[in-house]
Amino acid sequence: MENHQLQIFNNYKIFIRSKINVRNKETLLKELYALYYKRLLFFIRSMVREDSEDLQQEVFIKVFEKLHTYNPLFSFNTWIYTITRNHCINHIQKKEFTQRKVTTSYIEEAHGKNGETPKKSLIKKKIPKKLINSLKNLNRGTGRLPF
C-alpha cells in the first residue's frame, strides 16, 4: 500500500507543479524528460522503427502542451504512455495513407483510370492509324488491302 500512496503523491506533485508558473513547468519538463526519455524511446521503437527520436520529441512537446489536462487521480505513467501510443498510431496511419495514395496514383498513371495497361493503350492508339493508312493505300483495282 505504501508504494501506491507514493505513486499518488507523485501524481499530485506533477499536477500541482504543472499549475504553478512557467519556470516550474520548465523544471518539471526537464525532470519528466530525464525520467521518461529512455522509456518512451524504447516504447516508440517497439511500435515504429524509423523516426522514433523525432516522434519522441513530438510526444514531449505534446505532453508539455497538454500537461494542464492531466488528472492526478490517474497514473501519470498511464497518461504519458497513452499520449505516446496514440501519437505513434497516428504517425503509422498517416504514413500508410501517404503510401497508399502514392501507390494508387502510380497504378492509375501506369494503367490509366479505367484499368487499361500501357500496352493496351498504345495498341488502341496505333491500330486506328494503321487502319487509316491501310485504307488510304487500298488497292483500287482489287478492293483488297495491300498486305
Side-chain angles (χ1 to χ4, degrees), residues 59-70:
V59 165
F60 275 108
I61 291 169
K62 214 175 244 189
V63 165
F64 187 70
E65 290 173 346
K66 301 289 183 182
L67 204 52
H68 67 279
T69 67
Y70 169 66

Side-chain angles (χ1 to χ4, degrees), residues 6-116:
L6 181 63
Q7 180 65 36
I8 292 172
F9 175 73
N10 287 334
N11 291 345
Y12 272 100
K13 203 164 74 171
I14 291 169
F15 176 73
I16 290 168
R17 287 176 62 195
S18 72
K19 298 293 182 189
I20 304 178
N21 60 33
V22 175
R23 200 165 118 217
N24 283 343
K25 283 185 181 181
E26 288 175 7
T27 305
L28 177 62
L29 187 62
K30 287 177 185 177
E31 289 175 13
L32 292 175
Y33 189 83
L35 183 62
Y36 286 97
Y37 173 80
K38 285 184 180 179
R39 292 180 188 179
L40 292 182
L41 188 59
F42 288 129
F43 183 68
I44 291 168
R45 283 186 178 155
S46 73
M47 295 180 72
V48 182
R49 293 277 181 224
E50 64 284 335
D51 304 328
S52 56
E53 290 180 357
D54 291 338
L55 289 171
Q56 181 197 38
Q57 295 299 319
E58 292 168 6
V59 165
F60 275 108
I61 291 169
K62 214 175 244 189
V63 165
F64 187 70
E65 290 173 346
K66 301 289 183 182
L67 204 52
H68 67 279
T69 67
Y70 169 66
N71 183 347
L73 295 176
F74 303 101
S75 167
F76 187 78
N77 278 346
T78 303
W79 185 76
I80 197 167
Y81 276 94
T82 301
I83 289 173
T84 305
R85 186 196 70 211
N86 290 342
H87 191 69
C88 289
I89 290 170
N90 290 342
H91 174 77
I92 291 166
Q93 288 174 341
K94 192 183 299 181
K95 192 170 186 176
E96 285 176 356
F97 176 76
T98 304
Q99 287 175 344
R100 197 174 315 125
K101 189 175 178 183
V102 168
T103 304
T104 304
S105 65
Y106 172 75
I107 290 170
E108 286 178 353
E109 184 180 306
H111 295 284
K113 290 195 178 190
N114 59 1
E116 196 173 76

